[in-house]
Amino acid sequence: MKKNYFNINVQFNSLLFLCTALLIFFTSSVKSQESDKFIEYKGLVISKGSNNPLPFVNLVVEGTNIATVTNSEGNFSLKIDEALPSAKVTFTYPGYQKLIIIMADLSDENSVISLSPQTYELDEINISRPKNALYLVQQVFDNIDKNYADQDNFMTAFYRETINKRNRSASLAEAVVTIQKKPYARVIQQI
């Protein structure tokens, strides 16, 4: 009786070991296949004319949720699926023209992207100073309905914090936040 029990236990342990080994083998091969499916594009975004690097330029791959920003030296790193070679990436920065580039036109390493400055001519405005401070305050209260939203506003913000130690990045924290701003509600108090 002991012999049969021992044989069953050995067979079970052998089968368990074989299943575990196969599971580890297939998991590692799938993981290596997944990591091969991405292409990493790196480069620098500069201002056309001055050739100064532009920090915090927004890069968005159109039609996806893939996006990044350049660091404080203007460098970027963007990983996309290799199945998206015809995808378009949009570069935007305040005060510069938007630039759209097809990913296939970028080299994998050391792409230099130049953004052109964009100027807007503003209409002339006249500023007059009120002679009476009480009148100014009264105008502020009278125009509350015109100057504040009367419905909820939803805003999306991106936050990035880097901590550098000895000229090397020690920590990076990123977040995307959705903010709901409530409308202005006038509360009238009776005395």
Side-chain angles (χ1 to χ4, degrees):
M1 264 325 205
K2 282 188 175 183
K3 236 181 188 184
N4 289 341
Y5 175 73
F6 181 73
N7 283 339
I8 292 173
N9 196 17
V10 169
Q11 289 175 349
F12 178 74
N13 286 340
S14 300
L15 184 62
L16 184 63
F17 175 75
L18 181 63
C19 289
T20 305
L22 287 173
L23 182 66
I24 291 171
F25 174 74
F26 285 121
T27 304
S28 64
S29 66
V30 168
K31 191 167 185 111
S32 68
Q33 288 175 359
E34 285 178 2
S35 64
D36 294 338
K37 292 183 179 182
F38 292 96
I39 301 172
E40 184 173 13
Y41 294 93
K42 292 183 178 182
L44 174 69
V45 181
I46 61 172
S47 174
K48 192 179 248 179
S50 69
N51 291 334
N52 290 333
L54 296 175
F56 313 117
V57 174
N58 294 310
L59 285 80
V60 177
V61 179
E62 291 184 0
T64 69
N65 61 352
I66 302 170
T68 189
V69 294
T70 60
N71 64 10
S72 58
E73 288 87 33
N75 296 309
F76 69 89
S77 175
L78 182 63
K79 269 188 182 178
I80 66 160
D81 194 323
E82 68 180 9
L84 296 171
S86 61
K88 295 177 183 176
V89 62
T90 304
F91 294 81
T92 56
Y93 191 69
Y96 286 80
Q97 292 177 353
K98 176 169 73 169
L99 180 65
I100 300 173
I101 297 177
I102 297 173
M103 295 303 294
D105 294 342
L106 289 175
S107 65
D108 292 354
E109 298 282 328
N110 302 325
S111 295
V112 178
I113 309 298
S114 298
L115 294 183
S116 301
Q118 183 175 26
T119 57
Y120 296 97
E121 189 171 324
L122 301 176
D123 295 334
E124 177 182 340
I125 60 167
N126 293 320
I127 300 173
S128 61
R129 178 178 64 133
K131 296 181 174 82
N132 183 348
L134 183 60
Y135 174 75
L136 175 64
V137 172
Q138 186 62 44
Q139 288 291 47
V140 168
F141 285 114
D142 290 345
N143 291 319
I144 283 178
D145 295 336
K146 294 178 194 171
N147 294 329
Y148 289 93
D150 58 354
Q151 55 189 327
D152 285 359
N153 285 323
F154 293 93
M155 299 173 274
T156 303
F158 176 78
Y159 171 79
R160 174 180 277 178
E161 176 185 20
T162 57
I163 298 173
N164 295 327
K165 290 185 180 177
R166 296 187 189 107
N167 294 330
R168 299 197 69 174
S169 294
S171 174
L172 173 67
E174 294 180 335
V176 176
V177 217
T178 302
I179 301 166
Q180 177 185 9
K181 185 175 183 200
K182 291 288 190 181
Y184 181 81
R186 186 185 295 221
V187 178
I188 301 174
Q189 294 180 347
Q190 294 182 355
I191 302 177

